[in-house]
Amino acid sequence: MISFSDLKREAAFLSKQRYVVFFLLVALALSIFSVWSGVAETRAQIDTIERLLEKDAIDREDALSKQSDYGSAAYYSFHLTYSEPSPMAFAAMGQRDIYPWKHRVRMLAIEGQIYETDADNPELSFLGRFDFAFLISVLLPLFVILLLHDLRSSEREAGRFDLLIVTAKEEKQLWLSRALTMSLALALVLLIPFLIGVLVTGASATEIGLMLLVVLGHLGLWTIITLFIGNPKRSSSQSSARIASRLLAVWLLFTVLIPVGSDTVINELVESPSGGEIVLTQREAVNDAWDVPFSETWRAFLATHPEWESKTSMNSQFEWKWYYAFQQVGDQKAAELSHGYREATQQKDTVASIVALFSPPMLTQRLMSSIAGTNISSSLAYEQRVRDYHASLRSFYYPLLFNDGEFSHQALSGMPIFGESQANEAESSD
Amino acid sequence: MSVIKQIMWDEWRYWQRTRLAITVIITGVVLIVASVIVNAIGIQHAKHEREHLQHAAESRFAEQPDRHPHRMVHYGHYVFRTPSPLSIIEPGVDSFTGTSIFLEGHRQNTAMFADQRQSSGLTRFSSLAPSFLVQVLAPLFIVLVGYASITREKEAGTLNIMMTQGVSKRHVLTGKLFALLGAGLLLLLPMILASLWASFRGESSLVTGSYIVGYLLYILVWSGVVLGVSALSHKSSASFAGLIGLWVVLCILVPRIGSSTAAALEPSPGKLEADFAVLEELRKLGDGHNASDPAFEQLKSNLLAQYGVETVEELPINFRGTVAQYSEKKLTDVLNDFAEIRMQEELSQAQIARHFGWLSPAVAIRSFSMIVAGTSLETHHRFLREAETLRFEFVQSLNKVHQDKLDYQVDMNRSKSAETSKAARVDASNWSVLSSFSFVPEAGGVRLVQGGTYGVQLLFWFGVVVLFLNLAMRRMSE
């Protein structure tokens, strides 16, 4: 077994290696940067949501105060929906720059609103962010390779090899304890800024534990891969550069070739309705409603809302209840496509999760963004919450519209608010 | 000259013998060829699909039945962005921006359905784009092929022998550089062929020419870096570790650090937040659906005076259509002001990230490549602007139809009964006001000017490498 004194001796030795110390300092700086930029970005997102909430409430109150009927009230009032970054989001920004995390919706057809995206700057998304997850999933393997590929050969080149072998109790143990010391040192410099970040944002102990597990697991795996490929029995005559080239090939395979190849295959395999199709269908349905007999709209509407059967008589060519009914029908007509679209996203994600089993860096990244709640499923869950909220708006307004009661601002005060009560419902239905 | 050639040939023969280099080169070339093919097919497919959808949207608009003109304003229209010819090499921001926009009255919608939103999420770091392979992986391949080009000779003592035989350091370095460049060119070849093909598909040859030159510079820079480091190192292992470290920093770290820095230094408030300010402005303008809104009093009295009548009913035109035109114009001015601000914000954010091109040639080539290929943020903004122009044009044309071809009284009575509602319609032939849309990026010359700074960045790197090689030559130890 490797004893503590072995590790201590190696640590003392490493601290005198200028190259290693410099390397670790660089890794520390990178980790600090990734955590800082992640924390800054999540802070900015939280601030944005706060400001939006404030403006949203003022704007809605203002809009509602001018209305004198329920139909216009629903038409002119928007509602902010949002998904706050989790305390762990700073470490893995995941898909939050591509999938929207804020929407303003109103009671018109949801299919016409939900695809509007207030996404980040596309050029920055294209370049990618330097978050902690990127550091761990893509760069950490390269660090390990650079640090550990020449354990033996560097000693040989320094002329200490024979001396070391003679003084060591057992050769294998010597290299193992050296590799372990280096890995631990690397883990330390990478994780300290992360732990400070966690203190700042206040993530839960379970999340922190899981995150540490993923980081250490990935680090351990690459340490083993590096030691295995650098094993003298397999590569006694190899120069350190040759060993490293092999390791880089493995890295390339895992980080680039497998993900990119599978992505191409997945896109071929999973059929998805085109997004454009959904909004076109919805638009046709909503616009046709003006030209088709009222009865047709009512028939489709009553199929899902039979409770209003007795209240569909119309006194004019335009009535709000009819207007919102055909908005609902528009959604219903596009429902199948929209469902297929989300299903396809889900399916691609599921296949990707299987592919990730063959690519440790991808697996690491997926696990980290799943712990941070920034992965595709989280984004889809947010979209569902928006849909649920929109549905709750409908069930709030329909009685007011169909029962034809006197307009009162008092009645509007019970309007559902995003994030309240509905959050609990969403959780219990999961 | 013949000495240089000899050294170059020797290097190639050595690669062939040792298999490592030849494996790397073949792997690289196969990868890039595959990516060019897959990407070209994908882009071609997307191009046809979007062109088809564009035609479909246009004919569907024209086929709408007789309607109240304002209904067509809300029926709206779709525009699709067709990819530029060079996007088979450099897809750029294309998959991160939406590729279609819904155009309607009184609103500027965002582009919808970015490809990345429907992807497996596996391609956030790497992608199969030829540009990614050449910008990020080709340097790695050059490192693997060339890290030992000088150190090997030092370790074997052959460098000394060459020197004593009267071969100058300059000859050695030049010969080795040509050898490395040869490998780099092999990697670049599939891309060059694809560029020529893009030329064939309508890209100006000035653009493709500069595009190829940009990439040649990039390959040259990396070949020079690899050779210089090898010349300055005493041992192959040191040269290797140094070069891999450099590659990680320049190709992987700096671009992302640039993007994160830009996001942190200049956080953009996002469209949603800007929309509140827009709303505030718009409230002052009045609601264009409501002709009796006090905001239109001035317009009304002007019109009445102009036609010498007392009431809007006596006007020879439909006042509601006039109001719709008037308010759409005002509203669009406000929306455009805010849209411009937002685009400027995005651009200055991107420019912070692009400034990192002074720190890494990989960032420089990326900016250059995107802009010249017509897949940059600028081109996306152009798409947004053109879409907006089309939106304003057809909405106003419909409002004009509303003003001129629909009687005011008939219009006012439209909600009375099914008959009056039918009467308040105009003939479907009026829907031909919509002009057809086909998006093309900025003219080649404009893109080259936009990309100029980044071309200069590449030249700067070229200069740095020349100096570096000179230094390496002087310091090159045996």
Side-chain angles (χ1 to χ4, degrees):
Chain A
M1 268 317 290
I2 299 162
S3 68
F4 183 67
S5 65
D6 282 342
L7 294 181
K8 219 168 118 186
R9 186 195 67 197
E10 288 304 322
F13 168 75
L14 282 187
S15 65
K16 289 188 201 92
Q17 297 277 88
R18 264 170 47 210
Y19 163 70
V20 175
V21 171
F22 172 73
F23 196 102
L24 291 174
L25 282 178
V26 171
L28 177 69
L30 291 174
S31 179
I32 291 174
F33 179 82
S34 74
V35 169
W36 168 75
S37 64
V39 170
E41 183 147 7
T42 40
R43 276 275 163 86
Q45 292 187 356
I46 291 172
D47 290 347
T48 304
I49 291 174
E50 253 170 45
R51 281 196 310 271
L52 284 175
L53 273 172
E54 208 174 293
K55 289 180 182 169
D56 178 67
I58 294 172
D59 179 70
R60 190 169 45 251
E61 220 151 273
D62 186 45
L64 286 176
S65 68
K66 289 180 194 146
Q67 308 310 325
S68 52
D69 61 278
Y70 292 120
S72 313
Y75 187 87
Y76 287 103
S77 61
F78 286 84
H79 306 264
L80 179 72
T81 69
Y82 54 91
S83 140
E84 271 200 25
S86 74
M88 200 48 105
F90 78 91
M93 298 308 283
Q95 303 286 335
R96 276 179 79 88
D97 56 342
I98 292 176
Y99 287 82
W101 45 271
K102 51 189 193 287
H103 274 295
R104 274 187 101 207
V105 293
R106 53 177 164 167
M107 217 179 84
L108 303 189
I110 185 76
E111 295 298 338
Q113 307 176 65
I114 195 97
Y115 305 105
E116 283 284 311
T117 306
D118 183 15
D120 273 11
N121 191 331
E123 187 156 323
L124 297 191
S125 302
F126 173 57
L127 290 170
R129 290 295 153 80
F130 190 81
D131 58 1
F132 189 66
F134 176 75
L135 183 69
I136 298 302
S137 60
V138 174
L139 287 178
L140 178 135
L142 293 171
F143 291 168
V144 174
I145 293 172
L146 282 174
L147 274 178
L148 298 186
H149 75 275
D150 63 346
L151 278 183
R152 295 180 187 80
S153 42
S154 65
E155 288 300 326
R156 202 173 275 131
E157 282 161 13
R160 290 186 298 246
F161 188 80
D162 294 333
L163 187 72
L164 258 178
I165 300 298
V166 174
T167 55
K169 275 170 278 175
E170 201 186 326
E171 191 191 337
K172 206 169 158 191
Q173 224 178 56
L174 170 79
W175 303 125
L176 265 182
S177 55
R178 181 161 291 181
L180 201 63
T181 316
M182 288 222 200
S183 300
L184 284 178
L186 189 59
L188 219 58
V189 295
L190 294 179
L191 286 173
I192 286 174
F194 165 73
L195 289 173
I196 294 174
V198 164
L199 283 182
V200 173
T201 59
S204 81
T206 336
E207 286 169 351
I208 301 173
L210 285 173
M211 215 52 136
L212 289 179
L213 222 58
V214 172
V215 174
L216 293 176
H218 199 216
L219 176 65
L221 178 75
W222 280 95
T223 308
I224 291 169
I225 291 177
T226 310
L227 288 178
F228 179 74
I229 291 183
N231 192 321
K233 279 181 203 120
R234 301 184 64 255
S235 50
S236 51
S237 60
Q238 303 280 19
S239 73
S240 53
R242 277 201 162 227
I243 295 170
S245 307
R246 270 214 193 128
L247 286 164
L248 282 173
V250 175
W251 177 85
L252 202 63
L253 179 73
F254 282 156
T255 317
V256 178
L257 298 185
I258 291 181
V260 162
S262 332
D263 179 68
T264 312
V265 175
I266 289 174
N267 283 337
E268 284 302 312
L269 282 185
V270 181
E271 284 281 335
S272 165
S274 94
E277 207 79 34
I278 305 172
V279 280
L280 279 177
T281 309
Q282 184 270 137
R283 173 182 72 153
E284 295 300 323
V286 166
N287 277 282
D288 283 349
W290 293 86
D291 298 320
V292 299
F294 296 137
S295 59
E296 205 166 299
T297 298
W298 287 124
R299 185 151 26 83
F301 178 75
L302 291 174
T304 53
H305 294 74
E307 63 271 31
W308 303 115
E309 179 137 32
S310 56
K311 309 253 177 171
T312 57
S313 62
M314 308 235 324
N315 300 322
S316 148
Q317 290 302 299
F318 178 88
E319 274 193 44
W320 281 111
K321 62 182 178 190
W322 165 72
Y323 179 81
Y324 290 111
F326 74 65
Q327 298 284 334
Q328 168 101 45
V329 172
D331 278 349
Q332 287 171 10
K333 284 203 176 137
E336 197 183 327
L337 280 172
S338 154
H339 210 262
Y341 186 77
R342 277 173 282 159
E343 199 100 297
T345 311
Q346 189 97 60
Q347 215 177 337
K348 282 183 181 178
D349 191 44
T350 312
V351 182
S353 74
I354 299 167
V355 168
L357 295 177
F358 300 93
S359 158
M362 280 301 123
L363 186 64
T364 306
Q365 204 201 7
R366 289 182 60 92
L367 287 175
M368 289 177 85
S369 53
S370 135
I371 296 169
T374 53
N375 54 359
I376 293 178
S377 338
S378 310
S379 305
L380 288 174
Y382 163 62
E383 187 181 325
Q384 192 53 49
R385 285 209 299 284
V386 179
R387 289 174 182 277
D388 291 346
Y389 174 68
H390 186 266
S392 74
L393 268 183
R394 280 181 166 154
S395 31
F396 170 75
Y397 272 111
Y398 282 165
L400 297 175
L401 291 166
F402 281 92
N403 289 333
D404 220 10
E406 198 64 25
F407 179 79
S408 84
H409 285 286
Q410 189 62 40
L412 290 178
S413 61
M415 195 185 292
I417 292 175
F418 181 81
E420 281 177 19
S421 73
Q422 182 231 350
N424 311 327
E425 274 167 45
E427 254 159 51
S428 60
S429 70
D430 268 353
Chain B
M1 213 51 223
S2 66
V3 184
I4 295 175
K5 218 163 158 191
Q6 188 61 42
I7 290 171
M8 190 176 87
W9 278 117
D10 281 348
E11 190 73 4
W12 281 345
R13 267 198 291 274
Y14 172 78
W15 291 346
Q16 213 183 342
R17 234 178 24 245
T18 53
R19 293 219 329 265
L20 171 71
I22 209 80
T23 318
V24 169
I25 294 174
I26 290 176
T27 315
V29 171
V30 168
L31 264 179
I32 294 173
V33 167
S35 84
V36 166
I37 293 172
V38 171
N39 222 44
I41 293 174
I43 294 282
Q44 214 48 36
H45 178 74
K47 187 173 152 73
H48 285 149
E49 192 186 10
R50 292 182 205 165
E51 277 169 354
H52 169 74
L53 285 169
Q54 188 66 64
H55 287 308
E58 277 158 16
S59 48
R60 211 173 287 175
F61 188 91
E63 284 161 12
Q64 291 304 304
D66 296 359
R67 271 185 183 160
H68 189 284
H70 197 72
R71 288 272 329 291
M72 287 306 283
V73 168
H74 284 284
Y75 177 75
H77 181 47
Y78 280 89
V79 287
F80 296 84
R81 191 181 65 201
T82 38
S84 72
L86 273 177
S87 59
I88 55 170
I89 299 168
E90 173 66 273
V93 299
D94 196 89
S95 66
F96 291 87
T97 62
T99 49
S100 66
I101 306 185
F102 178 52
L103 309 176
E104 59 180 324
H106 335 316
R107 277 172 71 84
Q108 284 182 353
N109 292 315
T110 53
M112 289 184 287
F113 302 112
D115 283 352
Q116 277 287 339
R117 260 191 84 174
Q118 262 276 296
S119 85
S120 59
L122 291 168
T123 51
R124 288 310 302 273
F125 166 62
S126 48
S127 78
L128 194 59
S131 58
F132 169 80
L133 297 179
V134 173
Q135 290 163 10
V136 178
L137 294 190
L140 176 65
F141 295 148
I142 296 177
V143 169
L144 291 179
V145 169
Y147 72 93
S149 47
I150 305 287
T151 48
R152 190 182 73 235
E153 308 273 7
K154 288 181 190 170
E155 283 166 349
T158 41
L159 189 65
N160 262 335
I161 299 174
M162 280 196 267
M163 298 291 159
T164 48
Q165 282 171 342
V167 181
S168 75
K169 287 177 180 177
R170 185 179 293 274
H171 284 158
V172 174
L173 281 184
T174 318
K176 299 264 183 187
L177 184 64
F178 281 149
L180 259 187
L181 269 180
L185 279 180
L186 271 179
L187 292 172
L188 214 51
L189 194 64
M191 225 188 83
I192 293 178
L193 292 177
S195 313
L196 294 178
W197 191 67
S199 236
F200 234 46
R201 312 282 307 191
E203 191 56 89
S204 90
S205 40
L206 185 67
V207 165
T208 42
S210 325
Y211 196 69
I212 294 171
V213 170
Y215 273 98
L216 283 176
L217 271 177
Y218 183 64
I219 292 297
L220 194 65
V221 165
W222 271 103
S223 307
V225 167
V226 171
L227 193 67
V229 171
S230 186
L232 286 174
S233 304
H234 293 280
K235 289 177 297 196
S236 293
S237 57
S239 161
F240 181 83
L243 281 169
I244 293 297
L246 212 54
W247 171 73
V248 171
V249 170
L250 295 182
C251 288
I252 302 180
L253 279 181
V254 176
R256 291 218 170 207
I257 287 181
S259 141
S260 283
T261 309
L265 285 189
E266 203 143 310
S268 91
K271 184 173 185 294
L272 217 51
E273 201 165 356
D275 280 351
F276 282 108
V278 178
L279 270 178
E280 221 158 276
E281 283 291 309
L282 292 185
R283 287 236 177 75
K284 295 179 198 154
L285 297 181
D287 181 358
H289 290 119
N290 181 7
S292 52
D293 195 304
F296 308 120
E297 266 319 308
Q298 185 65 40
L299 175 73
K300 187 167 134 190
S301 53
N302 285 352
L303 266 182
L304 294 180
Q306 188 189 331
Y307 285 98
V309 291
E310 296 291 309
T311 60
V312 286
E313 284 81 4
E314 294 169 71
L315 284 171
I317 53 173
N318 184 342
F319 183 59
R320 294 189 72 235
T322 317
V323 166
Q325 275 186 72
Y326 172 82
S327 71
E328 190 72 35
K329 170 83 180 83
K330 289 261 177 176
L331 174 132
T332 303
D333 286 344
V334 172
L335 290 180
N336 280 347
D337 284 348
F338 279 93
E340 280 304 322
I341 292 173
R342 188 169 153 66
M343 284 190 254
Q344 278 314 318
E345 271 170 8
E346 268 189 353
L347 210 54
S348 58
Q349 217 177 29
Q351 260 148 7
I352 294 181
R354 290 176 189 172
H355 277 313
F356 281 75
W358 300 108
L359 296 178
S360 156
V363 178
I365 186 72
R366 201 184 268 217
S367 315
F368 181 79
S369 170
M370 264 195 298
I371 293 174
V372 173
T375 53
S376 65
L377 195 60
E378 282 90 338
T379 309
H380 177 59
H381 286 165
R382 176 184 161 87
F383 171 63
L384 296 181
R385 288 195 186 97
E386 293 207 339
E388 172 51 26
T389 309
L390 181 77
R391 185 195 76 82
F392 184 66
E393 208 180 271
F394 89 79
V395 168
Q396 287 302 62
S397 308
L398 287 169
N399 285 336
K400 194 159 165 32
V401 170
H402 188 179
Q403 171 191 279
D404 297 342
K405 301 199 177 165
L406 188 63
D407 183 70
Y408 182 71
Q409 275 308 332
V410 175
D411 195 11
M412 287 307 278
N413 291 333
R414 68 194 179 283
S415 295
K416 293 251 165 71
S417 69
E419 288 75 49
T420 58
S421 149
K422 260 220 167 78
R425 293 180 186 191
V426 299
D427 192 75
S429 63
N430 286 302
W431 311 153
S432 63
V433 295
L434 182 75
S435 44
S436 73
F437 184 84
S438 105
F439 179 72
V440 283
E442 299 90 337
V446 176
R447 273 180 276 152
L448 287 178
V449 171
Q450 285 172 343
T453 317
Y454 313 106
V456 173
Q457 281 179 349
L458 281 174
L459 285 174
F460 161 77
W461 280 101
F462 177 69
V464 168
V465 162
V466 169
L467 290 177
F468 179 58
L469 278 179
N470 266 317
L471 177 95
M473 191 169 67
R474 268 184 283 121
R475 294 262 187 95
M476 192 164 112
S477 49
E478 280 84 51

